[in-house]
Amino acid sequence: MADSNKENLRQAALAYHEFPKPGKLEIRATKPLANGRDLARAYSPGVAEACLEILADPATASRYTARANLVAVVTNGTAVLGLGDIGALAAKPVMEGKAVLFKKFAGIDCFDIELNERDPERLADIVCALEPSFGAINLEDIKAPDCFIVERICRERMNIPVFHDDQHGTAIVVGAAATNALHVAGKSFREIKVVSTGGGAAGIACLNLLLKLGVRRENVWLCDIHGLVHEGRETDMTPQKAAFAQKTDLRTLDQVIDGADLFLGLSGPDVLTPEQVARMARRPIVFALANPEPEIMPDAARAAAPDAIIATGRSDFPNQVNNVLCFPFIFRGALDVGATEINDAMQIACVEGIAELARATTSAEAATIYKGEQLTFGADYLIPKPFDPRLSGIVSFAVAQAAMETGVATRPIEDLAAYKRNLDASVYRSALVMRPVFEAAATASRRIVFAEGEDERVLRAAQAILEETTDTPILIGRPEVITSRCERLGLQIRPERDFNIVNPESDPRYRDYWGTYHDIMKRRGVSPDLARAVMRTNSTVIGAVMVHRNEADSLICGTFGEFRWHLKHVTRCWAAKRSIPWSAVADHPRGRPALHRRHPCARPPQPRGTRRDRHRRGAPCAPLRHRAQGRALLAVAVRQPGQRFGQTRARGGRDPRRAAARFRL
Amino acid sequence: MNVDAALDPEMRARLLPDNRLDGAANVLVFANADAASGVRNILKQKAGGLEVGPILMGMGNRAHVITPGITARGLLNMAAIAGTPVAHYG
């Protein structure tokens, strides 16, 4: 059974890669190349101008080529996650996938480069030679300790950011998770004891970042496959590991785990036992990040220490430490300011941005994708979900700022507010269009009543209104339903405390409302009983009456139900005010104000006595009225009884226009 | 005129050689709401358009009737529109 599932998964994955077109990416032209003129500009001889500009000033390459937004994912296939040393060609699907992630999450153009070169120094030479082609380099899946050498050499020699995501991407997300875990546990970086297993590229990078966040060197206990890394040990030592050597006689993980606050595992499966977790400090933090099997399964850890805060690298458990939360956004920020490197300040800014976002309210978009999961900050939600649309605006922005502050930005941004808006706009497509509206709305504080106040979208919108605008939402709905839904959605707002509610089932203003409604509608046959019933059930009418009584400034209704039904109820409540002009959607041409005496498109009035004078002054011209009512003019070819077929113009002149008027079309 | 004539300048030039309009229309005014609603929905579903609205004109910004397909973000946008005092227009 499990085998056939595996086989299905395997076939599905292979089909995904092969059909409809092999591979996961393609290149597209961004400029029109439709005619000879375009060709002369894009290619010979026009392109020479661009070349000469760049020759004179290399910085202009960011203006005339796509380089400033182009990143290379570079590997030699010696440490592909989960598969090991499979070589450059076999690593290509993974690298293509990485390139696609860059594009999808941050709009960064990316291509994958697999190099047949195992010697780290020669590999570094090749990567350095690639500098003219790209705006930044992402090193991927190069084995330790070669990756340290390659990265160091490339960073020294190149003027573009070089970032080994396996090291620093993991470290940054771990740093954000640790920041928030300590928040939840009520501890600080300076006081905690950290025990780590692995000692590989990612492990070392995580520990180095934790030091930068405040962990004390003497509180870090690193173990690898041979046991504790201690002074005097010579087996399998690298300079990176030696930096964490402890002066002690203790030799094993079991001996050092007592009282540990944070366990950081980047090693292999079954390294940590439940009994060892029980010996850790109060509220232990367990980051078991080995893939696919973590150092300890979350359930086992939770059983040993019910107050443990746990993260893994797997998507089927909460708190997945996923590099994709980091690399697209840190590169976006770095590329946007033309940074020459990704330095410590930018990495810390990235850590803080991600951590901050997890502590903010969930957005509606993320909640839609991760339906059913509890996405409120806490032990089970330490880091945001990768699809959170606010990541770019917060993380990329913080990284860009850090780059400018530390002086590594070659194209500093002057208007930071506009930059943030652009980042957000690439996520919320309506942001640019709506900006002037939001600014205008900020000049007044209006009370907006939502007829369907129990709807999930309305609740989210109410929270957003309270957070982002100066308006006051009023919701029509039952308080207990609204309260429980707010809790379920992880919203901070509560009825009566943050916004007002009108409860159709029982509200002190009920007598006044149905009284008003009856006053408006009594001449249309609405009795007091009917008015009372309507006010208990029809939330659109309740809202309309509220606006009528000036207890609210504006009504928004229609999250469910038919458009015309809502419109009918709204207009009927206000028809008496004669403020509804003629419109294409009205059911009856009642209440037409004096304003629209003549349809703007109508010809100017002809002198008296002419054919056109037939139009009554004040009415829109007949054909327009017909079209506006949704009827076609063709309906006038009506056959009269006794007529022979084809004889529409019988004696007496069945003029189409007169027929239309007659049938009151 | 038909929508394709409004959006395609070359076709419009063929049918209405004397027309004074330039380029493709960016505002389409329909004679009835059903046609407009159909076009709006097709643009949303098939052309990936993002809708801001529907905005109800003529109510003095005192009511907006939205459609069931709206998102929470869309409701926030409508609230911003509803929250703008009418004096701001024009």
Side-chain angles (χ1 to χ4, degrees):
Chain A
M1 195 58 196
D3 281 339
S4 79
N5 266 345
K6 255 186 143 173
E7 186 55 30
N8 284 341
L9 213 61
R10 184 175 172 274
Q11 289 304 331
L14 290 174
Y16 174 85
H17 280 81
E18 190 177 355
F19 304 108
K21 220 179 137 179
K24 295 193 279 271
L25 47 107
E26 64 175 14
I27 305 283
R28 274 195 308 153
T30 53
K31 297 284 163 73
L33 206 54
N35 50 40
R37 183 195 61 183
D38 289 336
L39 205 57
R41 290 177 184 169
Y43 208 56
S44 198
V47 70
E49 302 302 329
C51 293
L52 291 172
E53 288 289 314
I54 297 175
L55 191 59
D57 180 9
T60 55
S62 66
R63 289 170 55 192
Y64 300 119
T65 69
R67 179 175 183 258
N69 196 36
L70 187 60
V71 168
V73 175
V74 179
T75 187
N76 59 2
T78 48
V80 177
L81 205 68
L83 299 168
D85 186 350
I86 56 176
L89 186 57
K92 201 172 206 316
V94 179
M95 303 302 135
E96 274 188 3
K98 190 96 178 188
V100 166
L101 290 173
F102 267 107
K103 183 77 191 191
K104 158 125 190 92
F105 283 98
I108 296 175
D109 293 327
C110 187
F111 208 78
D112 55 299
I113 309 242
E114 294 78 20
L115 296 170
N116 265 332
E117 182 54 73
R118 303 180 68 89
D119 176 77
E121 299 202 356
R122 288 212 293 270
L123 180 59
D125 283 338
I126 300 175
V127 173
C128 290
L130 286 174
E131 184 171 343
S133 311
F134 299 102
I137 304 281
N138 181 92
L139 299 172
E140 189 80 18
D141 290 347
I142 302 174
K143 75 177 202 288
D146 298 348
C147 56
F148 301 118
I149 302 171
V150 174
E151 195 191 27
R152 180 181 50 81
I153 297 177
C154 291
R155 287 190 69 181
E156 278 165 14
R157 290 185 7 205
M158 296 173 85
N159 263 334
I160 56 175
V162 177
F163 187 77
H164 183 194
D165 183 51
D166 298 313
Q167 289 181 56
H168 307 297
T170 314
I172 286 170
V173 183
V174 165
T179 305
N180 280 344
L182 289 176
H183 213 92
V184 171
K187 302 179 189 174
S188 75
F189 280 111
R190 288 199 63 71
E191 56 186 28
I192 55 169
K193 172 177 175 181
V194 177
V195 172
S196 177
T197 59
I204 297 290
C206 287
L207 291 176
N208 280 326
L209 187 65
L210 286 174
L211 292 184
K212 288 180 197 132
L213 290 171
V215 173
R216 297 223 281 259
R217 240 292 276 116
E218 57 269 25
N219 288 343
V220 176
W221 301 76
L222 173 61
C223 303
D224 64 5
I225 203 160
H226 305 288
L228 182 70
V229 169
H230 58 90
E231 278 184 12
R233 191 180 108 170
E234 288 177 9
T235 350
D236 197 13
M237 284 297 275
T238 64
Q240 292 82 17
K241 279 193 226 174
F244 292 99
Q246 283 280 1
K247 194 186 174 89
T248 174
D249 295 326
L250 302 173
R251 288 292 179 264
T252 66
L253 171 66
D254 195 67
Q255 291 171 320
V256 301
I257 193 75
D258 293 273
D261 297 285
L262 167 62
F263 169 79
L264 178 62
L266 283 144
S267 45
D270 294 328
V271 158
L272 192 66
T273 68
E275 179 267 334
Q276 284 165 339
V277 172
R279 286 194 279 138
M280 289 174 71
R282 169 200 73 85
R283 278 233 101 164
I285 302 170
V286 177
F287 287 173
L289 305 177
N291 254 327
E293 287 288 323
E295 284 80 1
I296 181 170
M297 289 303 277
D299 310 317
R302 174 100 43 224
D307 60 349
I309 301 167
I310 304 171
T312 64
R314 287 169 57 141
S315 56
D316 47 347
F317 291 107
N319 295 332
Q320 181 191 20
V321 172
N322 191 337
N323 288 19
V324 83
L325 284 170
C326 163
F327 66 82
F329 310 108
I330 201 171
F331 272 89
R332 174 83 276 149
L335 290 173
D336 283 339
V337 292
T340 53
E341 57 168 7
I342 291 179
N343 56 25
D344 287 349
M346 293 160 77
Q347 294 187 23
I348 305 265
C350 196
V351 169
E352 286 171 356
I354 296 173
E356 181 194 309
L357 191 56
R359 299 196 292 267
T361 331
T362 320
S363 66
E365 291 75 8
T368 317
I369 296 172
Y370 297 100
K371 257 196 209 357
E373 292 188 40
Q374 180 66 281
L375 298 181
T376 334
F377 177 65
D380 279 338
Y381 184 67
L382 298 174
I383 39 186
K385 295 292 190 185
F387 282 93
D388 194 317
R390 297 164 299 169
L391 274 164
S392 192
I394 292 185
V395 177
S396 305
F397 183 74
V399 169
Q401 263 191 317
M404 294 192 304
E405 279 162 19
T406 49
V408 298
T410 59
R411 293 192 301 276
I413 297 172
E414 274 146 31
D415 189 352
L416 280 174
Y419 174 55
K420 179 150 201 335
R421 281 197 296 268
N422 271 334
L423 287 173
D424 285 332
S426 61
V427 162
Y428 292 125
R429 287 162 61 200
S430 59
L432 281 176
V433 163
M434 291 304 295
R435 187 164 59 87
V437 179
F438 275 89
E439 282 173 9
T443 62
S445 174
R446 282 166 57 102
R447 301 152 299 173
I448 301 173
V449 56
F450 288 87
E452 296 93 18
E454 294 170 8
D455 187 290
E456 173 188 323
R457 294 163 292 173
V458 172
L459 293 170
R460 287 192 189 282
Q463 165 127 358
I465 290 169
L466 287 165
E467 282 174 356
E468 295 183 38
T469 72
T470 52
D471 300 312
T472 317
I474 303 169
L475 268 48
I476 299 179
R478 295 161 292 176
E480 62 279 6
V481 172
I482 292 181
T483 307
S484 74
R485 283 206 183 144
C486 283
E487 278 166 14
R488 186 165 53 82
L489 297 170
L491 300 172
Q492 267 78 59
I493 55 171
R494 291 293 178 271
E496 297 317 330
R497 186 189 74 196
D498 303 300
F499 57 89
N500 284 331
I501 280 204
V502 175
N503 184 357
E505 287 178 351
S506 125
D507 195 287
R509 296 160 286 193
Y510 177 63
R511 170 81 190 70
D512 299 328
Y513 281 5
W514 78 250
T516 310
Y517 184 63
H518 179 244
D519 276 338
I520 298 169
M521 298 293 283
K522 55 194 173 196
R523 287 192 173 77
R524 294 203 214 186
V526 173
S527 65
D529 280 340
L530 181 55
R532 278 191 281 264
V534 166
M535 275 319 205
R536 280 240 186 274
T537 52
N538 188 331
S539 53
T540 301
V541 173
I542 296 175
V545 166
M546 285 179 73
V547 176
H548 180 99
R549 293 166 55 90
N550 206 16
E551 289 174 18
D553 294 305
S554 198
L555 164 68
I556 294 182
C557 56
T559 46
F560 52 80
E562 218 210 331
F563 184 88
R564 281 175 204 269
W565 182 93
H566 287 282
L567 188 63
K568 177 182 76 177
H569 281 287
V570 170
T571 52
R572 276 163 62 172
C573 273
W574 303 345
K577 287 196 168 185
R578 292 241 145 222
S579 61
I580 317 299
W582 176 248
S583 75
V585 298
D587 291 327
H588 307 287
R590 207 179 291 178
R592 239 180 294 144
L595 296 174
H596 291 263
R597 281 221 175 275
R598 203 173 67 232
H599 193 281
C601 296
R603 292 198 188 88
Q606 303 292 321
R608 282 205 164 277
T610 62
R611 248 175 98 230
R612 293 263 181 263
D613 188 40
R614 195 175 297 149
H615 291 183
R616 230 177 40 251
R617 205 185 298 170
C621 59
L624 277 166
R625 188 172 71 225
H626 301 151
R627 286 214 299 276
Q629 284 170 315
R631 273 85 170 182
L633 282 173
L634 293 177
V636 302
V638 172
R639 237 183 119 241
Q640 296 306 305
Q643 250 182 337
R644 277 199 303 277
F645 184 81
Q647 268 192 334
T648 44
R649 282 191 182 265
R651 206 171 358 139
R654 288 252 174 260
D655 186 292
R657 269 187 295 247
R658 283 239 295 272
R662 222 172 123 173
F663 289 103
R664 298 203 195 292
L665 285 176
Chain B
M1 62 181 80
N2 284 338
V3 179
D4 50 5
L7 295 176
D8 184 353
E10 285 170 30
M11 177 182 164
R12 191 170 62 239
R14 255 200 328 273
L15 297 172
L16 307 154
D18 297 331
N19 86 89
R20 296 166 293 168
L21 302 164
D22 221 359
N26 53 18
V27 176
L28 299 173
V29 179
F30 288 88
N32 65 53
D34 297 316
S37 178
V39 169
R40 184 264 313 266
N41 284 334
I42 289 184
L43 282 176
K44 251 173 48 175
Q45 299 294 351
K46 287 296 184 188
L50 182 75
E51 179 182 11
V52 174
I55 304 170
L56 195 58
M57 302 296 294
M59 293 286 189
N61 202 18
R62 288 177 305 146
H64 292 286
V65 182
I66 53 176
T67 46
I70 202 165
T71 60
R73 187 82 203 173
L75 277 166
L76 176 64
N77 287 341
M78 285 313 299
I81 290 171
T84 308
V86 177
H88 227 93
Y89 298 139

